[in-house]
Amino acid sequence: MRVSLEISVAVTPLPILLFPDPLLRRTAAPVDNVDGQVVELVDHMFQTMYDAPGIGLAATQVDVHRRIVVIDVSDEGDAPLTLINPELVLAEGQGEMQEGCLSIPGVYETVKRSTEVRVRAVNRDGEPFEMDADGLLAVCIQHEIDHLDGKLFVDYLSSLKRSRIRRKMEKLAREEDDDAALT
Ligand SMILES: [Zn+2]
C-alpha cells in the first residue's frame, strides 16, 4: 500500500500557477544546498513539464520560490537540463522568436531577446558548470530565468496587448470556476 501511494504521489504533476496570479511576480531565493528535497523537486518539475507538455519550467510556476529551472528543448524529450541558481554571464546578439508559457496557456507572441548566451549554474548533482547556448535553448534559458525574477514574457509586449491577454486569462478562469460549480 505504502509503495503504491508513493508512486501515485510522484507521478501527479504539480499545479502550475496561471497569469495574472500575483505569486508569479515573486522573486525566487537562491538554493544553498542541492539536497534530497531539491533533487525530488527537480524530478517532480521535469514530470510536470513533460506532462504539460512544455520545454521549460521554473520553480516559481509551481509556487516554490527557489532559483530552480528545468528545460528540455529536444524533440524526443531526452535531453533534460537542470539549472539551479542560473546566472547569465554573457548575452549577445538580438533576435525575435515566438514564445509561449505554461502559465499563459494558448498565448503565443513574438519577443525580442539575446540570441547567444552563456549561463552559469549548478546541476542536479550540486556541481557548478557553465554552458553556451543559442537558438531556442538560449531563448528558453532567458524566459525561465525571468520567471525566477517574477518576470513574464508578456511584460515585453505593449501594455494594451498585455491587458488584452490578462482579460482573456481572467475570463478563462471564470469559465472554469463556473464549470466546477456545475459539477
Ligand atoms: Zn514561462
Side-chain angles (χ1 to χ4, degrees):
M1 276 308 281
R2 209 169 146 210
V3 169
S4 68
L5 227 154
E6 276 170 7
I7 288 168
S8 71
V9 167
V11 294
T12 308
L14 294 159
I16 297 175
L17 297 174
L18 297 178
F19 176 75
D21 194 320
L23 288 167
L24 286 167
R25 297 306 188 176
R26 277 178 69 169
T27 302
V31 174
D32 299 327
N33 182 25
V34 182
D35 56 15
Q37 262 187 328
V38 169
V39 170
E40 207 173 297
L41 174 65
V42 164
D43 293 346
H44 211 169
M45 283 172 63
F46 270 115
Q47 281 178 5
T48 305
M49 181 191 79
Y50 288 128
D51 182 81
I55 58 169
L57 184 71
T60 304
Q61 293 177 276
V62 292
D63 202 14
V64 178
H65 302 277
R66 308 295 299 279
R67 303 192 79 82
I68 304 170
V69 159
V70 299
I71 289 174
D72 190 340
V73 296
S74 70
D75 289 335
E76 282 78 30
D78 57 0
L81 173 67
T82 305
L83 301 175
I84 297 168
N85 299 339
E87 259 179 275
L88 285 184
V89 290
L90 203 93
E92 285 179 333
Q94 220 174 44
E96 286 187 330
M97 203 179 270
Q98 206 180 50
E99 293 186 29
C101 180
L102 292 177
S103 294
I104 318 174
V107 174
Y108 299 90
E109 296 287 348
T110 302
V111 176
K112 212 181 269 177
R113 292 193 193 266
S114 301
T115 49
E116 284 166 69
V117 298
R118 177 171 298 161
V119 65
R120 184 183 294 154
V122 171
N123 68 17
R124 191 180 169 280
D125 299 319
E127 294 156 353
F129 70 102
E130 269 190 26
M131 66 175 285
D132 292 323
D134 59 12
L136 179 60
L137 181 57
V139 168
C140 194
I141 288 170
Q142 293 169 81
H143 176 120
E144 301 308 332
I145 292 178
D146 272 356
H147 273 303
L148 303 180
D149 295 321
K151 201 165 179 185
L152 297 163
F153 85 92
V154 291
D155 299 347
Y156 294 97
L157 310 174
S158 68
S159 58
L160 181 74
K161 224 171 198 176
R162 190 165 51 254
S163 46
R164 203 179 295 148
I165 292 167
R166 173 189 279 262
R167 278 199 301 276
K168 184 181 161 183
M169 292 294 298
E170 284 169 343
K171 186 167 173 269
L172 256 165
R174 272 200 306 277
E175 281 169 4
E176 274 182 22
D177 280 352
D178 288 350
D179 286 349
L182 288 170
T183 53

XYZ file of all heavy atoms in Angstrom, residues 61-155:
733
model
N 6.749 28.850 -11.091
C 5.478 28.487 -11.719
C 4.712 27.410 -10.947
O 3.518 27.234 -11.144
C 5.724 28.008 -13.154
C 6.211 29.111 -14.071
C 6.511 28.557 -15.448
O 7.592 28.036 -15.697
N 5.551 28.627 -16.355
N 5.439 26.663 -10.094
C 4.755 25.670 -9.267
C 4.734 26.139 -7.805
O 4.632 25.341 -6.885
C 5.360 24.255 -9.428
C 5.087 23.729 -10.833
C 6.859 24.227 -9.144
N 4.840 27.472 -7.636
C 4.697 28.133 -6.339
C 5.793 27.737 -5.344
O 5.564 27.720 -4.136
C 3.301 27.846 -5.758
C 2.872 28.880 -4.718
O 3.534 29.944 -4.644
O 1.918 28.614 -3.983
N 6.972 27.409 -5.863
C 8.144 27.187 -4.998
C 9.135 28.287 -5.374
O 9.628 28.323 -6.508
C 8.782 25.798 -5.234
C 10.023 25.637 -4.362
C 7.777 24.681 -4.951
N 9.381 29.216 -4.446
C 10.122 30.417 -4.832
C 11.615 30.280 -4.542
O 12.193 30.998 -3.732
C 9.434 31.647 -4.217
C 8.007 31.719 -4.683
N 7.653 32.269 -5.896
C 6.864 31.192 -4.167
C 6.347 32.124 -6.082
N 5.850 31.470 -5.050
N 12.201 29.310 -5.241
C 13.622 29.000 -5.197
C 14.166 29.046 -6.618
O 13.416 28.788 -7.577
C 13.838 27.596 -4.612
C 13.158 27.355 -3.288
C 13.710 28.224 -2.179
N 15.134 27.951 -1.958
C 15.587 26.926 -1.246
N 14.761 26.094 -0.681
N 16.887 26.750 -1.091
N 15.481 29.326 -6.769
C 16.026 29.531 -8.112
C 16.366 28.186 -8.781
O 17.507 27.763 -8.830
C 17.227 30.484 -8.051
C 16.858 31.830 -7.407
C 17.911 32.880 -7.577
N 17.888 33.497 -8.886
C 17.068 34.480 -9.260
N 16.171 34.947 -8.426
N 17.142 34.981 -10.475
N 15.322 27.536 -9.292
C 15.452 26.236 -9.943
C 14.674 26.259 -11.261
O 13.519 26.694 -11.301
C 14.892 25.101 -9.052
C 15.588 25.098 -7.683
C 15.019 23.745 -9.746
C 14.944 24.177 -6.659
N 15.344 25.780 -12.329
C 14.739 25.744 -13.657
C 14.982 24.371 -14.273
O 16.078 23.812 -14.125
C 15.393 26.845 -14.543
C 15.226 26.564 -16.014
C 14.854 28.229 -14.188
N 13.980 23.830 -14.942
C 14.197 22.616 -15.742
C 13.827 22.924 -17.190
O 12.886 23.665 -17.463
C 13.403 21.393 -15.215
C 13.820 21.049 -13.786
C 11.903 21.613 -15.288
N 14.627 22.350 -18.111
C 14.469 22.635 -19.537
C 14.721 21.354 -20.326
O 15.568 20.536 -19.956
C 15.490 23.721 -19.984
C 15.121 25.096 -19.404
C 15.602 23.793 -21.508
C 16.149 26.191 -19.676
N 13.964 21.170 -21.416
C 14.303 20.141 -22.400
C 13.737 20.591 -23.742
O 12.534 20.524 -23.969
C 13.726 18.773 -22.002
C 14.266 17.657 -22.887
O 14.752 17.960 -24.001
O 14.201 16.489 -22.483
N 14.615 21.082 -24.610
C 14.152 21.594 -25.907
C 14.292 20.540 -27.007
O 14.031 20.821 -28.173
C 14.883 22.901 -26.326
C 14.575 24.033 -25.361
C 16.390 22.697 -26.442
N 14.677 19.316 -26.661
C 14.855 18.273 -27.678
C 13.492 17.780 -28.178
O 12.497 17.856 -27.462
C 15.642 17.099 -27.098
O 14.856 16.410 -26.149
N 13.469 17.262 -29.411
C 12.223 16.745 -29.987
C 11.759 15.496 -29.244
O 10.567 15.263 -29.074
C 12.418 16.406 -31.473
C 12.568 17.666 -32.313
O 12.064 18.716 -31.865
O 13.193 17.596 -33.392
N 12.717 14.686 -28.835
C 12.381 13.395 -28.202
C 12.143 13.515 -26.698
O 11.693 12.559 -26.071
C 13.495 12.366 -28.442
C 13.474 11.736 -29.830
C 14.063 12.666 -30.885
O 14.954 13.468 -30.513
O 13.628 12.603 -32.048
N 12.469 14.679 -26.119
C 12.319 14.823 -24.673
C 13.310 13.957 -23.924
O 12.991 13.334 -22.912
N 14.539 13.897 -24.451
C 15.556 13.057 -23.810
C 16.831 13.842 -23.499
O 17.908 13.272 -23.406
C 15.883 11.833 -24.692
C 16.341 12.241 -26.086
O 16.414 13.466 -26.364
O 16.624 11.348 -26.908
N 16.688 15.171 -23.384
C 17.853 15.997 -23.070
C 17.537 16.933 -21.900
O 17.519 18.161 -22.040
C 18.278 16.795 -24.302
N 17.244 16.349 -20.727
C 16.896 17.197 -19.575
C 18.068 18.058 -19.118
O 19.199 17.588 -19.056
C 16.500 16.187 -18.487
C 17.180 14.911 -18.861
C 17.261 14.909 -20.369
N 17.782 19.325 -18.842
C 18.798 20.265 -18.375
C 18.282 20.916 -17.092
O 17.208 21.505 -17.080
C 19.059 21.326 -19.453
C 19.978 22.493 -19.075
C 21.417 22.021 -18.858
C 19.944 23.584 -20.158
N 19.042 20.756 -16.014
C 18.671 21.360 -14.734
C 19.570 22.558 -14.484
O 20.797 22.448 -14.572
C 18.862 20.341 -13.582
O 18.124 19.160 -13.890
C 18.380 20.914 -12.263
N 18.978 23.705 -14.190
C 19.748 24.908 -13.870
C 19.334 25.383 -12.480
O 18.208 25.852 -12.290
C 19.486 26.012 -14.895
C 19.797 25.730 -16.377
C 19.335 26.912 -17.234
C 21.283 25.473 -16.589
N 20.243 25.216 -11.519
C 19.993 25.703 -10.162
C 20.837 26.963 -9.967
O 22.023 26.985 -10.344
C 20.347 24.610 -9.128
C 19.426 23.387 -9.349
C 20.210 25.137 -7.698
C 19.854 22.131 -8.605
N 20.224 28.011 -9.423
C 20.871 29.333 -9.285
C 21.475 29.812 -10.615
O 22.633 30.245 -10.656
C 21.971 29.302 -8.211
C 21.432 28.949 -6.838
O 20.250 29.101 -6.577
N 22.311 28.462 -5.969
N 20.726 29.750 -11.712
C 21.293 30.143 -13.012
C 21.562 31.639 -13.086
O 20.804 32.442 -12.529
C 20.202 29.747 -14.010
C 18.939 29.831 -13.227
C 19.300 29.418 -11.814
N 22.655 31.970 -13.769
C 23.041 33.375 -13.960
C 23.537 33.539 -15.377
O 24.364 32.751 -15.833
C 24.226 33.691 -13.053
C 23.909 34.421 -11.781
C 25.190 34.614 -10.996
O 25.549 33.669 -10.262
O 25.841 35.660 -11.159
N 23.081 34.571 -16.054
C 23.606 34.851 -17.391
C 24.936 35.580 -17.216
O 24.984 36.635 -16.585
C 22.641 35.733 -18.179
C 21.369 35.081 -18.721
C 20.601 36.084 -19.561
C 21.673 33.834 -19.533
N 26.007 35.019 -17.757
C 27.295 35.714 -17.649
C 27.639 36.408 -18.953
O 28.551 37.221 -19.002
C 28.433 34.755 -17.204
C 28.236 34.358 -15.752
C 28.524 33.521 -18.077
N 26.881 36.078 -20.002
C 27.104 36.702 -21.299
C 25.795 36.632 -22.091
O 25.117 35.613 -22.051
C 28.185 35.904 -22.043
C 28.957 36.613 -23.127
C 30.223 37.209 -22.527
C 29.345 35.621 -24.216
N 25.453 37.718 -22.759
C 24.269 37.713 -23.624
C 24.572 38.587 -24.827
O 24.895 39.760 -24.669
C 23.061 38.233 -22.863
N 24.519 37.988 -26.010
C 24.895 38.715 -27.222
C 23.861 38.549 -28.325
O 23.118 37.576 -28.355
C 26.243 38.194 -27.732
C 27.416 38.690 -26.907
C 28.745 38.140 -27.413
O 28.748 37.053 -28.012
O 29.766 38.803 -27.178
N 23.913 39.487 -29.262
C 23.043 39.435 -30.422
C 21.608 39.751 -30.060
O 21.253 39.831 -28.880
N 20.784 39.955 -31.059
C 19.380 40.192 -30.796
C 18.542 39.547 -31.885
O 18.866 39.653 -33.062
C 19.094 41.688 -30.701
C 18.127 41.914 -29.581
C 17.849 43.342 -29.253
O 17.647 44.164 -30.138
N 17.783 43.630 -27.991
N 17.520 38.830 -31.466
C 16.649 38.159 -32.417
C 15.241 38.077 -31.873
O 15.000 38.391 -30.711
N 14.325 37.679 -32.756
C 12.928 37.571 -32.351
C 12.476 36.127 -32.497
O 12.838 35.459 -33.461
C 12.056 38.459 -33.234
C 12.206 39.929 -32.917
C 11.208 40.774 -33.671
O 10.813 40.384 -34.792
O 10.804 41.814 -33.135
N 11.705 35.683 -31.521
C 11.158 34.341 -31.595
C 9.782 34.338 -30.960
O 9.521 35.118 -30.034
C 12.093 33.360 -30.875
C 11.939 31.923 -31.337
S 13.075 30.796 -30.498
C 14.495 30.844 -31.567
N 8.914 33.465 -31.458
C 7.595 33.360 -30.855
C 7.691 32.531 -29.575
O 8.313 31.476 -29.574
C 6.619 32.700 -31.830
C 5.199 33.123 -31.546
C 4.197 32.489 -32.489
O 4.189 31.287 -32.693
N 3.351 33.311 -33.065
N 7.114 33.056 -28.494
C 7.184 32.356 -27.215
C 5.797 32.062 -26.681
O 4.838 32.769 -26.948
C 7.938 33.229 -26.184
C 9.391 33.399 -26.517
C 10.171 34.140 -25.441
O 9.812 34.061 -24.250
O 11.158 34.805 -25.816
N 5.738 30.998 -25.896
C 4.538 30.653 -25.152
C 4.976 30.368 -23.734
O 6.160 30.382 -23.428
N 4.022 30.097 -22.849
C 4.363 29.866 -21.440
C 3.299 28.974 -20.814
O 2.106 29.174 -21.047
C 4.422 31.219 -20.727
S 4.840 31.085 -18.974
N 3.735 28.012 -20.015
C 2.778 27.111 -19.355
C 1.867 27.867 -18.389
O 0.787 27.388 -18.066
C 3.516 25.987 -18.616
C 4.245 24.968 -19.507
C 4.996 23.956 -18.653
C 3.267 24.253 -20.434
N 2.279 29.054 -17.967
C 1.451 29.859 -17.064
C 0.487 30.773 -17.826
O -0.337 31.456 -17.209
C 2.336 30.705 -16.137
O 3.056 29.873 -15.260
N 0.622 30.803 -19.172
C -0.264 31.635 -20.001
C -0.696 30.784 -21.195
O -0.346 31.065 -22.340
C 0.442 32.939 -20.469
C 1.262 33.555 -19.331
C -0.573 33.938 -21.002
C 2.108 34.749 -19.732
N -1.438 29.699 -20.928
C -1.743 28.736 -21.991
C -2.508 29.365 -23.160
O -3.386 30.200 -22.960
C -2.585 27.659 -21.291
C -3.003 28.235 -19.986
C -2.006 29.287 -19.631
N -2.140 28.946 -24.374
C -2.850 29.377 -25.571
C -2.401 30.717 -26.116
O -2.925 31.183 -27.123
N -1.425 31.361 -25.465
C -0.961 32.673 -25.924
C 0.462 32.547 -26.471
O 1.343 32.012 -25.795
C -1.009 33.723 -24.783
C -0.399 35.039 -25.217
C -2.439 33.914 -24.302
N 0.658 32.981 -27.694
C 1.979 32.945 -28.332
C 2.255 34.311 -28.923
O 1.443 34.824 -29.682
C 2.033 31.855 -29.415
C 1.789 30.478 -28.850
C 0.502 29.957 -28.764
C 2.842 29.719 -28.348
C 0.266 28.711 -28.205
C 2.622 28.467 -27.792
C 1.332 27.967 -27.724
O 1.106 26.732 -27.155
N 3.384 34.901 -28.528
C 3.717 36.233 -29.028
C 5.212 36.304 -29.323
O 6.012 35.592 -28.717
C 3.365 37.311 -27.990
C 1.874 37.437 -27.679
C 1.049 38.080 -28.787
O 1.648 38.654 -29.725
O -0.195 38.005 -28.702
N 5.568 37.188 -30.249
C 6.969 37.365 -30.621
C 7.671 38.260 -29.610
O 7.162 39.326 -29.254
C 7.053 37.983 -32.030
O 6.366 37.098 -32.923
C 8.485 38.132 -32.486
N 8.824 37.790 -29.136
C 9.598 38.528 -28.134
C 11.031 38.699 -28.641
O 11.583 37.819 -29.284
C 9.603 37.772 -26.778
C 10.477 38.471 -25.756
C 8.187 37.607 -26.250
N 11.604 39.867 -28.348
C 12.986 40.153 -28.728
C 13.912 39.794 -27.575
O 13.707 40.248 -26.444
C 13.101 41.662 -29.036
C 14.128 41.987 -30.105
C 14.217 43.475 -30.337
C 13.256 43.939 -31.432
N 13.294 45.402 -31.605
N 14.927 38.971 -27.853
C 15.880 38.584 -26.804
C 17.265 38.397 -27.406
O 17.433 38.374 -28.618
C 15.472 37.240 -26.179
C 14.205 37.261 -25.361
C 14.109 35.987 -24.568
N 12.793 35.775 -23.988
C 12.441 36.139 -22.767
N 13.303 36.765 -21.988
N 11.223 35.892 -22.302
N 18.244 38.162 -26.512
C 19.595 37.839 -26.962
C 19.577 36.482 -27.665
O 18.823 35.588 -27.288
C 20.555 37.776 -25.785
O 20.562 39.018 -25.119
N 20.422 36.349 -28.676
C 20.441 35.106 -29.458
C 21.496 34.125 -28.969
O 21.426 32.934 -29.251
C 20.697 35.411 -30.942
O 21.830 36.288 -31.033
C 19.494 36.066 -31.587
N 22.513 34.645 -28.254
C 23.563 33.769 -27.732
C 23.802 34.113 -26.279
O 23.966 35.287 -25.936
C 24.864 33.975 -28.512
C 24.853 33.322 -29.889
C 25.993 33.844 -30.742
O 27.139 33.531 -30.423
O 25.701 34.590 -31.691
N 23.807 33.107 -25.434
C 24.025 33.356 -24.005
C 25.028 32.352 -23.439
O 25.221 31.264 -23.958
C 22.711 33.261 -23.182
C 21.716 34.307 -23.631
C 22.102 31.872 -23.237
N 25.680 32.771 -22.366
C 26.455 31.836 -21.552
C 25.830 31.863 -20.161
O 25.607 32.933 -19.597
C 27.929 32.239 -21.483
C 28.742 31.308 -20.558
C 30.214 31.567 -20.666
N 30.679 31.287 -22.033
C 31.830 31.772 -22.535
N 32.595 32.557 -21.805
N 32.181 31.462 -23.755
N 25.507 30.685 -19.652
C 24.850 30.607 -18.349
C 25.747 29.850 -17.378
O 26.407 28.884 -17.751
C 23.440 29.966 -18.476
C 23.485 28.517 -18.912
C 22.656 30.082 -17.181
N 25.778 30.349 -16.140
C 26.495 29.691 -15.051
C 25.431 29.176 -14.088
O 24.505 29.917 -13.739
C 27.402 30.707 -14.357
C 28.278 30.118 -13.261
C 29.087 31.209 -12.588
N 30.053 31.807 -13.512
C 30.522 33.048 -13.403
N 30.096 33.840 -12.440
N 31.411 33.514 -14.264
N 25.548 27.920 -13.693
C 24.525 27.331 -12.818
C 25.108 26.160 -12.055
O 26.292 25.830 -12.196
C 23.329 26.879 -13.654
N 24.266 25.537 -11.245
C 24.629 24.318 -10.520
C 23.715 23.223 -11.057
O 22.536 23.478 -11.320
C 24.423 24.539 -8.998
C 24.569 23.247 -8.223
C 25.384 25.602 -8.482
N 24.245 22.023 -11.259
C 23.415 20.954 -11.815
C 22.738 20.132 -10.719
O 22.879 20.424 -9.527
C 24.231 20.075 -12.784
C 25.306 19.265 -12.086
O 25.272 19.088 -10.859
N 26.255 18.761 -12.860
N 22.003 19.104 -11.137
C 21.222 18.254 -10.223
C 22.110 17.524 -9.214
O 21.639 17.089 -8.154
C 20.428 17.260 -11.079
C 19.371 16.450 -10.371
C 18.692 15.532 -11.370
N 17.833 14.546 -10.733
C 18.268 13.427 -10.174
N 19.573 13.155 -10.168
N 17.429 12.568 -9.622
N 23.403 17.367 -9.548
C 24.348 16.721 -8.622
C 25.028 17.740 -7.704
O 25.946 17.387 -6.953
C 25.432 15.965 -9.410
C 24.833 14.864 -10.275
O 23.915 14.179 -9.771
O 25.254 14.695 -11.430
N 24.639 19.005 -7.817
C 25.209 20.034 -6.960
C 26.532 20.583 -7.471
O 27.243 21.274 -6.737
N 26.873 20.248 -8.745
C 28.153 20.714 -9.300
C 27.964 21.977 -10.131
O 27.093 22.030 -10.996
C 28.756 19.618 -10.194
C 29.157 18.385 -9.422
C 29.189 17.140 -10.294
O 28.766 17.210 -11.482
O 29.617 16.096 -9.777
N 28.824 22.992 -9.915
C 28.738 24.203 -10.736
C 29.239 23.937 -12.157
O 30.142 23.115 -12.345
C 29.646 25.203 -10.018
C 30.420 24.446 -9.009
C 29.875 23.072 -8.887
N 28.642 24.601 -13.138
C 29.084 24.458 -14.530
C 28.707 25.715 -15.300
O 27.926 26.536 -14.827
C 28.464 23.215 -15.182
C 26.982 23.321 -15.446
C 26.496 23.581 -16.733
C 26.059 23.181 -14.408
C 25.128 23.693 -16.971
C 24.684 23.287 -14.642
C 24.227 23.541 -15.935
N 29.310 25.834 -16.491
C 28.961 26.925 -17.411
C 28.653 26.314 -18.757
O 29.267 25.317 -19.135
C 30.139 27.892 -17.565
C 30.098 29.031 -16.563
C 31.113 30.128 -16.866
O 31.508 30.289 -18.043
O 31.507 30.807 -15.913
N 27.705 26.902 -19.472
C 27.434 26.409 -20.825
C 27.017 27.542 -21.744
O 26.474 28.557 -21.299
C 26.361 25.318 -20.808
C 24.990 25.800 -20.380
S 23.723 24.504 -20.504
C 23.456 24.432 -22.258
N 27.301 27.358 -23.035
C 26.877 28.310 -24.055
C 25.619 27.777 -24.716
O 25.471 26.566 -24.890
C 27.975 28.486 -25.110
C 29.193 29.185 -24.534
O 29.008 30.097 -23.707
O 30.321 28.806 -24.899
N 24.729 28.678 -25.102
C 23.509 28.257 -25.783
C 23.125 29.279 -26.830
O 23.411 30.471 -26.683
C 22.377 28.091 -24.772
N 22.504 28.778 -27.904
C 21.926 29.692 -28.898
C 20.563 29.140 -29.308
O 20.092 28.142 -28.756
C 22.875 29.895 -30.099
C 23.207 28.585 -30.797
O 22.544 27.560 -30.513
O 24.131 28.581 -31.627
N 19.930 29.815 -30.266
C 18.633 29.365 -30.778
C 17.571 29.239 -29.704
O 17.531 30.027 -28.746
N 16.731 28.215 -29.844
C 15.603 28.007 -28.939
C 16.059 27.840 -27.489
O 15.416 28.345 -26.559
C 14.817 26.758 -29.396
C 13.597 26.364 -28.562
C 12.552 27.484 -28.522
C 12.966 25.081 -29.120
N 17.191 27.140 -27.289
C 17.680 26.921 -25.923
C 18.038 28.244 -25.245
O 17.716 28.454 -24.074
C 18.879 25.959 -25.940
C 19.476 25.615 -24.567
C 18.435 25.007 -23.632
C 20.665 24.656 -24.728
N 18.694 29.135 -25.995
C 19.064 30.445 -25.436
C 17.818 31.231 -25.026
O 17.788 31.855 -23.959
C 19.878 31.244 -26.455
N 16.793 31.178 -25.865
C 15.539 31.882 -25.577
C 14.876 31.281 -24.340
O 14.432 31.997 -23.437
C 14.583 31.804 -26.801
C 13.173 32.252 -26.432
C 15.130 32.654 -27.944
N 14.859 29.946 -24.295
C 14.222 29.243 -23.178
C 14.923 29.570 -21.848
O 14.254 29.833 -20.841
C 14.255 27.748 -23.464
S 13.170 26.809 -22.400
N 16.244 29.587 -21.862
C 17.008 29.904 -20.649
C 16.643 31.308 -20.154
O 16.377 31.525 -18.973
C 18.529 29.776 -20.910
C 18.922 28.293 -21.049
C 19.338 30.433 -19.784
C 20.356 28.061 -21.556
N 16.593 32.286 -21.065
C 16.257 33.659 -20.676
C 14.826 33.755 -20.143
O 14.559 34.426 -19.138
C 16.442 34.610 -21.868
C 17.899 34.763 -22.288
C 18.033 35.482 -23.633
O 17.969 36.694 -23.708
N 18.227 34.732 -24.712
N 13.906 33.051 -20.809
C 12.491 33.043 -20.405
C 12.352 32.484 -18.980
O 11.639 33.045 -18.144
C 11.705 32.193 -21.419
C 10.252 32.002 -21.116
N 9.250 32.415 -21.972
C 9.626 31.401 -20.076
C 8.073 32.099 -21.440
N 8.273 31.466 -20.295
N 13.064 31.371 -18.704
C 12.932 30.718 -17.388
C 13.615 31.533 -16.280
O 13.096 31.614 -15.171
C 13.491 29.292 -17.430
C 12.818 28.368 -18.441
C 11.298 28.316 -18.330
O 10.755 28.523 -17.236
O 10.654 28.084 -19.372
N 14.782 32.123 -16.570
C 15.448 32.953 -15.557
C 14.554 34.154 -15.217
O 14.438 34.546 -14.060
C 16.861 33.390 -16.008
C 17.797 32.164 -16.059
C 17.439 34.459 -15.066
C 19.217 32.468 -16.533
N 13.878 34.709 -16.222
C 12.923 35.800 -15.978
C 11.891 35.394 -14.933
O 11.559 36.184 -14.041
C 12.188 36.169 -17.282
C 12.935 37.222 -18.102
O 13.979 37.715 -17.625
O 12.469 37.537 -19.217
N 11.363 34.151 -15.048
C 10.357 33.677 -14.078
C 10.877 33.790 -12.653
O 10.146 34.171 -11.741
C 10.011 32.203 -14.349
C 8.913 32.005 -15.358
N 7.660 32.554 -15.217
C 8.879 31.281 -16.507
C 6.912 32.189 -16.248
N 7.619 31.425 -17.050
N 12.158 33.445 -12.457
C 12.747 33.464 -11.107
C 12.803 34.893 -10.561
O 12.880 35.101 -9.353
C 14.147 32.844 -11.116
C 14.247 31.400 -11.644
C 15.693 30.930 -11.601
C 13.360 30.450 -10.844
N 12.777 35.875 -11.470
C 12.774 37.279 -11.057
C 11.365 37.879 -11.117
O 11.205 39.111 -11.090
C 13.735 38.077 -11.950
C 15.181 37.631 -11.750
O 15.548 37.348 -10.590
O 15.924 37.536 -12.746
N 10.370 37.023 -11.239
C 8.979 37.490 -11.250
C 8.566 38.151 -12.549
O 7.611 38.924 -12.588
N 9.292 37.830 -13.615
C 9.024 38.471 -14.904
C 8.412 37.465 -15.886
O 8.825 36.299 -15.916
C 10.352 39.011 -15.460
C 10.170 40.088 -16.474
C 11.492 40.821 -16.716
C 11.286 41.898 -17.758
N 12.507 42.573 -18.145
N 7.474 37.932 -16.698
C 6.802 37.062 -17.674
C 7.015 37.600 -19.080
O 7.269 38.785 -19.259
C 5.308 37.024 -17.374
C 4.939 36.424 -16.003
C 3.517 36.799 -15.627
C 5.111 34.917 -16.025
N 6.883 36.716 -20.081
C 7.172 37.169 -21.447
C 6.199 38.233 -21.920
O 6.540 39.054 -22.777
C 7.291 35.978 -22.421
C 5.989 35.468 -22.998
C 5.520 35.963 -24.204
C 5.260 34.490 -22.354
C 4.333 35.490 -24.756
C 4.069 34.017 -22.892
C 3.605 34.525 -24.094
N 4.999 38.282 -21.330
C 4.037 39.315 -21.731
C 4.491 40.714 -21.297
O 3.997 41.718 -21.804
C 2.614 39.023 -21.183
C 2.007 37.809 -21.877
C 2.611 38.831 -19.675
N 5.453 40.764 -20.357
C 5.988 42.061 -19.925
C 6.745 42.769 -21.053
O 6.969 43.970 -20.983
C 6.931 41.894 -18.721
C 6.214 41.305 -17.519
O 4.970 41.271 -17.536
O 6.899 40.873 -16.580
